[in-house]
Amino acid sequence: MPSPPTFKELFRDCQRTAVHLEARDAYSKTDSAFVDWKAGRSIDPAERWAAWHGIVSEAVSRGVEVRRARIVSMPVSEYIRFEHSVTEGLNIAAGERVRWLPRREASDLLIPGNDYWLFDSRLVYLNHFDGEGEPTEPEITEDSEMAKLCESAFESVWQRATPHAEFDVY
């Protein structure tokens, strides 16, 4: 049985779109960048996440549209303030478009129970986390019904969400 594709391979093989829906208020709280940010140390996103920047910017340079939507509780958690602070230098600098949606404005939307990436409207990469926000084994599926659900959910969030430059976390 062949091993599943790596995240880098998923981006490399993507031709048109890569969209990511995030709906947690915290992720790995032991992440060194988050720990440094909490301690007031300066973080250079381009340096800290050079590999990610390379993966995304390469895809964008081939014409892939990369979008990320984040559903967040208000007031935002400390972790979301951290994410917001690095988004410009990390995600947007690499070519992603990022929007934010307060959770209260998403109450009537049907969204999957897990964060996910959807590549070319057909391949779903489901992110799984434990109760502390630490990543566990992801799941990849090409189930067409799951892909349609994820695409519909993402687009409904995207339409309501606020562009990063206009979203205030304070």
Side-chain angles (χ1 to χ4, degrees):
M1 171 181 257
S3 60
T6 65
F7 207 70
K8 186 175 184 175
E9 291 169 334
L10 291 171
F11 260 92
R12 182 200 64 207
D13 296 341
C14 186
Q15 299 300 308
R16 299 179 334 276
T17 60
V19 300
H20 185 39
L21 183 65
E22 297 179 1
R24 296 181 57 90
D25 286 318
Y27 293 87
S28 178
K29 293 179 184 177
T30 60
D31 174 59
S32 63
F34 178 59
V35 171
D36 286 348
W37 178 85
K38 279 179 52 172
R41 291 187 277 277
S42 178
I43 296 173
D44 179 356
E47 178 184 314
R48 180 82 60 140
W49 293 286
W52 174 253
H53 187 275
I55 289 169
V56 173
S57 61
E58 191 281 327
V60 169
S61 73
R62 289 186 288 107
V64 175
E65 179 184 37
V66 182
R67 295 182 293 157
R68 179 184 304 254
R70 292 177 169 145
I71 300 171
V72 296
S73 298
M74 298 298 286
V76 298
S77 68
E78 182 177 45
Y79 193 91
I80 295 302
R81 285 196 315 276
F82 158 69
E83 275 193 334
H84 190 271
S85 75
V86 300
T87 294
E88 185 71 38
L90 171 62
N91 309 95
I92 293 172
E96 285 186 59
R97 293 170 53 208
V98 179
R99 290 187 181 182
W100 303 79
L101 182 65
R103 191 169 311 282
R104 285 183 177 268
E105 295 176 31
S107 296
D108 63 337
L109 300 178
L110 298 176
I111 60 171
N114 295 293
D115 290 7
Y116 61 87
W117 279 93
L118 175 63
F119 295 95
D120 289 333
S121 301
R122 64 165 192 79
L123 187 142
V124 182
Y125 181 97
L126 292 160
N127 299 107
H128 295 292
F129 300 91
D130 68 15
E132 298 300 321
E134 298 296 331
T136 61
E137 192 66 29
E139 181 181 351
I140 298 174
T141 181
E142 292 188 63
D143 177 89
S144 62
E145 292 304 312
M146 174 70 83
K148 285 179 196 173
L149 169 71
C150 289
E151 185 169 43
S152 175
F154 182 86
E155 293 303 331
S156 65
V157 170
W158 187 259
Q159 292 306 312
R160 288 188 187 178
T162 302
H164 174 74
E166 300 169 25
F167 189 76
D168 186 11
V169 296
Y170 292 99

